[in-house]
Amino acid sequence: MNRRVEVTYVVRCPAAEIDSRATALAIEQSVEMPLSAIADSAVLEEIVGRVERIAPAGDGCFGVTIGLADATIGTDAGQLLSMLFGNSSLHDDVVLSDVDVPAATAAAFGGPHHGIAGFRERLSAHGRALTATALKPQGLTSTALAALAEKFAAGGIDLIKDDHGIADQSAAPFAERVPRIADAVQAAGARSGHTTLYVPNLSGDLDRMRTQVACARAAGVRAVMVAPMVAGFATIHTLVAECPDILFVAHPALGGASRIAPPLLFGKLFRLIGADAVVYPSYGGRFGYTIETCRALAAAARTPWHDLAPSLPVPAGGMTRERVPELLDVYGADTMLLIGGALLDAKENLVAATADLVAAVHRHDYMR
């Protein structure tokens, strides 16, 4: 049976031209050639994209929904992006707005192995939001990063991730850094009785990432961070499939260069390829997302979607301790607040500042 993936674009176009523009978009994203040159009737009937709906979207734009044959995607995550927006991303009047895939396609990609429930189980944390922070700046030695991690863990934080700028650099090579930080976090947890997850940042090509995952496993680490837009969707999807015991945190780096609506990119597509948690820039921080965009993104990550496990939303990017009640009122309990620089600014009071953040999250009234 020829199943269709429904892809919605926002197209800036005069009303008199939108029908022809939509047809051109359907052809561009499917067969990319004149239909008059196609002699195979099966291709014409089953493979050529078809315009399903056109609706006004305001400000001289239209929402255009195209039906694409899911047979042209298969289970290749790179091909998924190419079919959804490969050529048309080169047109500056088109934004990829939303995607709905058939249940069989969703099942084939698989989604998260663990999702929100996986984080809660690993941390024995239920009925509240989770807390996270980041090790930074890049350029610190492995010893210095481990010392920071130990303080964060002593303050009771749930998750400590590498900053996305920390890779396999000479100041703190991955093979040296990860065991050292893992040991420091474990030592702090042994003293406090609180479980903290350390999440190293993977970088490089697929083979190097496989080596890094093996290194992390040997150090007792079962969660990693990846940047799908930097590493490639196919790379991340492959790693997720190969590592069912690992929690994957997806970082949004380079996501703003794509002209893909953030709720779709971070909330749905990252989830589809297996992200257990998705970091994104929250409203009111260093980036320009609105509260409406952030609400929609968190909803896309968590809302039931076929049989895919929900991803954990991780709002970040200039968050502060003072905003915790407001942020939790907006995002709710199934959220992980990531506060990095604002905690590090506490310097010698880092443990106390971390404990204060943790206490605020724990005592928040989530039933309001």
Side-chain angles (χ1 to χ4, degrees), residues 71-87:
T72 62
I73 294 170
T75 58
D76 182 337
Q79 176 70 356
L80 170 71
L81 271 192
S82 181
M83 291 304 301
L84 297 183
F85 205 39
N87 275 10

Side-chain angles (χ1 to χ4, degrees), residues 225-284:
M225 186 173 77
V226 292
M229 299 303 287
V230 175
F233 266 39
T235 293
I236 303 310
H237 190 227
T238 297
L239 277 178
V240 169
E242 292 178 351
C243 306
D245 59 320
I246 300 291
L247 290 164
F248 281 84
V249 177
H251 191 277
L254 209 61
S258 62
R259 285 210 328 282
I260 302 175
L264 169 60
L265 179 60
F266 304 134
K268 293 181 77 172
L269 295 182
F270 280 13
R271 177 183 177 184
L272 186 63
I273 63 170
D276 297 292
V278 289
V279 180
Y280 63 93
S282 184
Y283 74 97

Side-chain angles (χ1 to χ4, degrees), residues 23-112:
T23 298
L25 184 61
I27 293 170
E28 190 68 54
Q29 283 306 126
S30 57
V31 293
E32 192 195 348
M33 64 181 293
L35 299 188
S36 59
I38 300 176
D40 191 315
S41 60
V43 171
L44 287 169
E45 293 172 9
E46 299 177 12
I47 302 300
V48 173
R50 62 191 186 206
V51 179
E52 304 285 0
R53 292 179 296 280
I54 300 174
D59 297 325
C61 295
F62 293 85
V64 176
T65 299
I66 304 296
L68 298 175
D70 74 341
T72 62
I73 294 170
T75 58
D76 182 337
Q79 176 70 356
L80 170 71
L81 271 192
S82 181
M83 291 304 301
L84 297 183
F85 205 39
N87 275 10
S88 293
S89 68
L90 303 174
H91 296 299
D92 64 5
D93 60 351
V94 181
V95 171
L96 177 58
S97 176
D98 200 6
V99 172
D100 192 13
V101 300
T105 304
F109 277 96

Side-chain angles (χ1 to χ4, degrees), residues 160 234 240 294 314:
I160 303 167
V240 169
C294 292
V314 187

Side-chain angles (χ1 to χ4, degrees), residues 126-170:
H126 303 279
R128 63 167 175 87
L130 306 181
T131 55
T133 192
L135 298 174
K136 56 176 75 180
Q138 57 176 310
L140 293 182
T141 65
S142 299
T143 299
L145 291 168
L148 285 176
E150 189 163 6
K151 291 178 181 178
F152 280 133
I157 204 85
D158 291 317
L159 183 146
I160 303 167
K161 75 173 188 66
D162 286 343
D163 188 59
H164 77 282
I166 297 176
D168 195 12
Q169 295 128 332
S170 59

